[in-house]
């Protein structure tokens, strides 16, 4: 597995049979193997996590598929990408298999790629992906968003919502490790910048953690 940081919350993860691109908005992409399928994820519609530019990637890569959060309106996508773009809501799962050099939908028992979505504490979803024997997590804007000056009831509610999702993630993993986790670490939160990252690392087994949003 090879991980390349692109920009902000965008990373490229290259596995044996498939490459995964998360939350691309801008920045130079390294060459992606032409014969390896590319899955492009967008965790939500915010401009620092999603750009229609991701659909231009099809011009240089035929074996491509997009997995988009439910809050990205399908009717605004280019019509030509509709057959290859899937929307995913929190608490849902999509299953795929690599076949004929492409990623295609498959039943769970025939799939070698599984994508699960978790509810964000902001917009959209976080992604948990199983592929090529690896487990990857991209948090999007799922984070413990504690803000100085915000109403304390709001801050407590945010903490509870974040903890609920991380504990659900831990139950889903059932003692398995996450090979690569991409987690918000936002300096705008000042002294509270580490809260979400710390709780994740306390409750989830992680081999490699990559800070983002910083």
């Amino acid at each position: 597995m090879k991980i390349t940081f692109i920009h902000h919350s965008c990373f490229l993860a290259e596995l044996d049979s498939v490459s995964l691109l998360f939350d691309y908005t801008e920045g130079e992409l390294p060459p992606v193997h032409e014969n390896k399928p590319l899955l492009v994820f967008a965790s939500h519609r915010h401009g620092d996590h999603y750009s229609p530019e991701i659909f231009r990637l099809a011009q240089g890569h035929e074996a491509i598929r997009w997995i988009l959060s439910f809050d990205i309106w399908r009717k605004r996508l280019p019509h030509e990408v509709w057959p290859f773009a899937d929307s995913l809501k929190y608490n849902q799962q999509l299953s795929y298999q690599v076949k004929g050099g492409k990623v295609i939908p498959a039943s769970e028992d025939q799939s070698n790629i599984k994508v699960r979505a978790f509810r964000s504490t902001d917009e959209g979803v976080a992604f948990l992906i199983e592929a090529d024997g690896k487990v990857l997590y991209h948090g999007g804007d799922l984070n413990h968003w504690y803000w100085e000056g915000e109403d304390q009831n709001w801050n407590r509610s945010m903490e509870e919502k974040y903890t609920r999702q991380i504990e659900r993630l831990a139950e889903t993993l059932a003692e398995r490790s996450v090979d690569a986790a991409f987690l918000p670490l936002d300096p705008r939160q000042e002294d509270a910048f580490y809260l979400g990252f710390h709780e994740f690392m306390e409750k989830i087994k992680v081999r490699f953690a990559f800070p983002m949003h910083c």
Side-chain angles (χ1 to χ4, degrees):
M1 179 172 61
K2 179 181 179 181
I3 306 292
T4 303
F5 171 67
I6 308 298
H7 174 76
H8 190 60
S9 295
C10 177
F11 291 82
L12 175 68
E14 298 174 78
L15 308 183
D16 289 340
S17 68
V18 65
S19 294
L20 315 174
L21 179 64
F22 297 99
D23 284 12
Y24 178 79
T25 58
E26 61 180 277
E28 184 177 354
L29 293 173
V32 179
H33 199 290
E34 293 181 0
N35 296 323
K36 185 182 293 186
L38 176 64
L39 279 178
V40 180
F41 295 83
S43 65
H44 60 291
R45 62 188 175 186
H46 286 171
D48 59 338
H49 289 260
Y50 164 72
S51 168
E53 287 295 314
I54 61 175
F55 303 115
R56 295 181 182 272
L57 297 174
Q59 297 174 4
H61 205 291
E62 293 184 1
I64 188 169
R65 192 169 198 98
W66 296 267
I67 301 178
L68 311 174
S69 170
F70 67 97
D71 64 323
I72 298 172
W73 293 347
R74 188 175 182 85
K75 65 181 180 181
R76 293 188 177 180
L77 307 186
H79 283 206
E80 60 269 21
V81 312
W82 281 12
F84 311 103
D86 300 315
S87 295
L88 189 60
K89 192 173 183 179
Y90 52 86
N91 301 333
Q92 290 183 336
Q93 175 179 305
L94 296 174
S95 300
Y96 304 91
Q97 65 176 186
V98 178
K99 187 174 182 179
K102 296 183 178 182
V103 174
I104 60 174
S107 61
E108 184 174 358
D109 61 331
Q110 294 182 329
S111 66
N112 51 20
I113 299 174
K114 295 182 178 66
V115 181
R116 296 179 178 88
F118 293 80
R119 188 170 191 166
S120 177
T121 45
D122 194 354
E123 295 279 350
V125 300
F127 295 110
L128 180 69
I129 301 105
E130 299 176 48
D132 287 346
K134 303 293 186 182
V135 179
L136 298 93
Y137 171 86
H138 189 282
D141 269 355
L142 173 55
N143 190 26
H144 180 169
W145 295 112
Y146 180 97
W147 300 105
E148 287 292 343
E150 185 62 72
D151 181 85
Q152 288 305 303
N153 288 329
W154 187 94
N155 280 329
R156 280 194 295 271
S157 174
M158 185 62 59
E159 179 181 8
E160 292 169 0
K161 290 176 180 177
Y162 181 71
T163 295
R164 192 177 305 127
Q165 294 304 308
I166 297 310
E167 290 181 348
R168 177 174 167 259
L169 175 64
E171 292 174 1
T172 301
L173 289 166
E175 298 300 318
R176 288 175 298 163
S177 297
V178 174
D179 293 286
F182 307 100
L183 307 170
L185 195 66
D186 197 320
R188 296 176 303 168
Q189 293 183 267
E190 299 178 330
D191 290 346
F193 77 98
Y194 69 95
L195 293 177
F197 198 111
H198 177 74
E199 182 172 352
F200 190 97
M201 299 298 288
E202 286 283 302
K203 294 181 176 179
I204 307 294
K205 295 179 180 180
V206 182
R207 293 188 62 212
F208 297 99
F210 298 85
M212 62 182 189
H213 228 278
C214 56

